[in-house]
Amino acid sequence: MADDQNPAGAAPGASTAPAPSYSLAGQYIRDMSFENPGAPGSVMLGGANPQFQVSINVGVKKQADDLYAVELTLNAKAERDGNVLFNVELVYGGVFRLKNVPENLLPQLLMVECPRMIFPFARHVLASTVQLGGFPPLMMEPVDFQQLYVQNLKQMQAQQAAAGGAQPDASKTN
């Protein structure tokens, strides 16, 4: 009987491959630095609003067949009148277990969806650290990781085109 081999509700001849899935196996702080060079005076001074510089980068490292470490590097610097009020760097990561994810979907999942999942936790650590340093908490806006991913792809394509269309040599490491 052919029906005995099909799961309930599956069309005859339909593939029974396991569905793709991913889950967060753990989170960690790999590196954190907070500098308050003008303390204690910097926390007591008033004045004009400081200028902020904030940057974010995403990195991915394969750990095992189905495990990937996705790390967000957040840098924030506040200055007033040319003086640094604080400078903070945080490398916050998540270990993700991916199962049955097609190879062509890995970059999008690892560079967009996984960072989107851990960003709120990294943002909380950053805000709390700045507050514990004597300043109001730094409230970062949500990040559009899809836009960041597309922007980085375009930048890589432009660099490859400028280099004469040569593909990067994956066998070289720096």
Side-chain angles (χ1 to χ4, degrees), residues 23-168:
S23 61
L24 182 59
Q27 298 179 66
Y28 58 92
I29 294 173
R30 186 167 62 81
D31 188 22
M32 186 168 64
S33 168
F34 180 82
E35 298 171 20
N36 185 351
S42 61
V43 298
M44 293 184 271
L45 296 176
N49 286 336
Q51 293 80 38
F52 290 95
Q53 298 171 353
V54 179
S55 67
I56 184 166
N57 289 308
V58 178
V60 176
K61 296 176 190 165
K62 188 171 185 172
Q63 303 297 305
D65 284 343
D66 63 345
L67 287 177
Y68 292 84
V70 176
E71 292 184 343
L72 300 176
T73 301
L74 304 169
N75 291 296
K77 184 176 186 179
E79 294 180 323
R80 180 184 298 131
D81 300 326
N83 297 316
V84 175
L85 296 176
F86 68 81
N87 191 9
V88 61
E89 177 184 356
L90 171 66
V91 180
Y92 191 88
V95 177
F96 291 86
R97 183 176 311 280
L98 282 60
K99 295 190 182 223
N100 309 309
V101 176
E103 193 74 27
N104 65 325
L105 297 180
L106 279 177
Q108 180 93 13
L109 181 63
L110 292 168
M111 299 298 287
V112 176
E113 297 306 323
C114 293
R116 187 179 291 155
M117 188 180 284
I118 62 173
F119 177 73
F121 301 101
R123 179 174 58 187
H124 175 74
V125 170
L126 196 70
S128 296
T129 301
V130 170
Q131 187 174 27
L132 290 170
F135 299 96
L138 178 63
M139 301 307 297
M140 290 182 65
E141 295 290 325
V143 174
D144 184 347
F145 287 100
Q146 177 67 35
Q147 180 184 5
L148 188 61
Y149 174 69
V150 169
Q151 177 182 329
N152 286 339
L153 276 180
K154 287 179 181 177
Q155 184 178 11
M156 283 179 15
Q157 290 169 349
Q159 288 173 347
Q160 288 174 356
Q167 294 294 324

